[in-house]
Amino acid sequence: MHSKTILQELGYNLHEVNPRLHYFKPNTSKTEKTFAEEISYSLTQNSKFIHPKFFYDQTGSRLFEQICHLPEYYLTRTEISILKFLKNELPQFLDKSYRLVELGSGSSTKTKLLLDILHDLQERVEYFPIDISDILKEGSQSLLESYENLHITGVIDTYEGGLKFIKSFDNTPNLVAFLGSSFGNFEYDDSIRFLHDVNSTMKQSDLFLAGIDLVKDKKILEDAYNDSRGVTAQFNLNVLQRINNELDANFDIDKFYHKAEFNEKENRIEMYLRSKEVQSVNIPKANLSIDFVKDELIHTEHSHKYTVSQIENMMDETNFEIKKIWQDPYQNYSMILASKIF
């Protein structure tokens, strides 16, 4: 485990909750500076944008949990069905004790399905969630109550920061899981860079389990991102409230609305916040004042959808060997297990 000196160099503070739960968190100034700098850059481009990683403050994470249970949002229930199938499939690839490392602590339901597999195979189970939001502390408490042999070490940081942390943590074999729709948020070059980053942290015995959404009917996709209850709209708009809360901005949330549509040429859902009128916004902690014209867009998310052949090509390009690809019966979603090629 890291010495205090190394922790300070990495910019992390150690928080011990109880003997089975502790987590590492970047110091406050590091987190605030990064958020302010990124917002200052992204909202001053010709095409304004906000990185989707900033959706997931405490409120955003809770809203996303609600999205996962919506009837239009096929992705979570489909992924859960595949994970349930893996209970009999995954153990054949786990020939030693593994720690579960999850990029994005996400849904406790999905996490438990993987922990159940490890619990049946091992006397001690370690879980290493990496999440940008403090919500992982709440989820961790619930998991500890479900598994007496579970020990949790969390990192409250970005995927990039967490991956760097993992690289020098210890020699325990890791099952690195990246579930949900997050992979689709990357542009192609960024997805390749992310896969390279994951690959570079992996030891010879490590495995990478990734969920990747597949190309499908346009109506299914657009309904999933424009739900009838408006929860996705709340989730999208909440990123402006987060800027208000953390950077002292004065966004009037009622002057923006949610927009999501499928770009068939690029095979991706595109999500925006549209300005309802001419307006100005001040963001003091980013030293920024922004003007909006009527109908101007802030891009908040792309969610790319892939074919199996595209997935195979990406994994090959980033030095992964695919062990297995699982799909649901309707071929809406895929889960890939891969190892690093040495």
Side-chain angles (χ1 to χ4, degrees):
M1 192 171 292
H2 291 283
S3 69
K4 290 183 179 179
T5 303
I6 297 175
L7 282 171
Q8 289 171 351
E9 289 175 358
L10 291 172
Y12 290 92
N13 294 319
L14 172 62
H15 301 261
E16 297 192 53
V17 180
N18 61 54
R20 292 198 292 137
L21 171 61
H22 57 276
Y23 63 93
F24 297 99
K25 184 178 181 180
N27 60 61
T28 303
S29 59
K30 174 185 172 183
T31 304
E32 183 177 273
K33 182 180 179 183
T34 301
F35 187 30
E37 285 182 344
E38 292 206 32
I39 292 300
S40 180
Y41 171 77
S42 67
L43 290 182
T44 53
Q45 301 305 296
N46 290 334
S47 297
K48 295 178 174 66
F49 71 95
I50 299 171
H51 196 288
K53 69 186 177 185
F54 294 121
F55 280 137
Y56 300 97
D57 65 348
Q58 196 166 43
T59 301
S61 295
R62 288 198 178 109
L63 285 168
F64 186 71
E65 283 290 309
Q66 293 177 37
I67 290 171
C68 291
H69 294 93
L70 294 170
E72 298 97 334
Y73 197 74
Y74 63 88
L75 195 148
T76 303
R77 62 177 176 270
T78 304
E79 186 174 43
I80 286 173
S81 71
I82 296 175
L83 286 169
K84 288 179 177 177
F85 183 73
L86 290 191
K87 185 164 188 178
N88 295 320
E89 291 271 309
L90 195 57
Q92 64 184 292
F93 300 97
L94 306 177
D95 57 355
K96 50 182 65 68
S97 291
Y98 277 81
R99 170 200 292 125
L100 175 61
V101 175
E102 188 173 10
L103 302 178
S105 59
S107 163
S108 61
T109 301
K110 291 186 286 185
T111 302
K112 282 183 176 181
L113 290 169
L114 290 175
L115 289 175
D116 283 345
I117 295 171
L118 298 182
H119 176 77
D120 289 345
L121 298 173
Q122 304 169 190
E123 289 186 6
R124 176 187 171 94
V125 180
E126 290 187 62
Y127 175 48
F128 201 126
I130 299 169
D131 200 290
I132 195 76
S133 168
D134 281 10
I135 199 168
L136 73 77
K137 289 184 289 184
E138 298 173 23
S140 295
Q141 292 283 13
S142 172
L143 289 172
L144 288 176
E145 293 172 6
S146 300
Y147 304 93
E148 290 184 0
N149 64 342
L150 180 63
H151 298 261
I152 300 176
T153 302
V155 177
I156 298 176
D157 203 350
T158 61
Y159 300 147
E160 296 86 352
L163 286 168
K164 289 177 183 177
F165 196 94
I166 289 171
K167 189 169 184 176
S168 56
F169 194 73
D170 64 19
N171 294 318
T172 302
N174 294 314
L175 172 62
V176 182
F178 190 48
L179 307 178
S181 60
S182 296
F183 188 83
N185 296 156
F186 298 125
E187 297 291 349
Y188 181 79
D189 288 347
D190 291 331
S191 68
I192 295 299
R193 191 176 301 110
F194 169 77
L195 290 172
H196 273 303
D197 286 347
V198 174
N199 190 280
S200 71
T201 70
M202 292 175 65
K203 303 180 292 294
Q204 190 161 11
S205 55
D206 288 354
L207 292 168
F208 180 46
L209 181 68
I212 302 181
D213 204 8
L214 300 175
V215 174
K216 62 185 68 62
D217 181 76
K218 177 180 178 180
K219 179 170 171 49
I220 294 173
L221 287 165
E222 291 193 338
D223 285 352
Y225 291 82
N226 292 285
D227 64 276
S228 58
R229 301 179 194 178
V231 182
T232 309
Q234 293 177 53
F235 173 71
N236 198 10
L237 289 161
N238 180 68
V239 75
L240 300 183
Q241 186 60 54
R242 178 178 183 181
I243 298 173
N244 286 350
N245 294 343
E246 298 183 27
L247 301 180
D248 293 344
N250 63 341
F251 277 101
D252 185 339
I253 311 302
D254 292 334
K255 291 183 179 179
F256 291 85
Y257 67 87
H258 164 77
K259 172 182 170 65
E261 60 188 11
F262 184 60
N263 182 330
E264 294 184 75
K265 181 180 179 181
E266 301 291 340
N267 277 334
R268 68 189 185 197
I269 283 283
E270 298 178 352
M271 201 154 80
Y272 300 93
L273 293 167
R274 184 189 290 273
S275 177
K276 296 179 180 179
E277 58 187 65
V278 175
Q279 56 181 306
S280 296
V281 175
N282 293 314
I283 310 178
K285 287 190 177 181
N287 194 27
L288 189 63
S289 180
I290 318 168
D291 295 322
F292 291 89
V293 299
K294 187 177 185 298
D295 294 326
E296 186 172 359
L297 299 174
I298 305 173
H299 167 241
T300 54
E301 183 177 55
H302 283 161
S303 187
H304 292 80
K305 313 304 174 183
Y306 292 91
T307 64
V308 171
S309 62
Q310 286 174 327
I311 293 168
E312 291 172 336
N313 290 337
M314 286 191 298
M315 300 303 279
D316 182 62
E317 185 178 345
T318 53
N319 202 39
F320 280 102
E321 177 188 353
I322 295 177
K323 299 291 188 182
K324 185 86 173 181
I325 298 179
W326 294 276
Q327 297 178 61
D328 65 287
Y330 301 102
Q331 299 184 326
N332 280 337
Y333 190 81
S334 67
M335 194 156 288
I336 296 88
L337 182 69
S339 60
K340 180 174 181 172
I341 297 173
F342 283 85

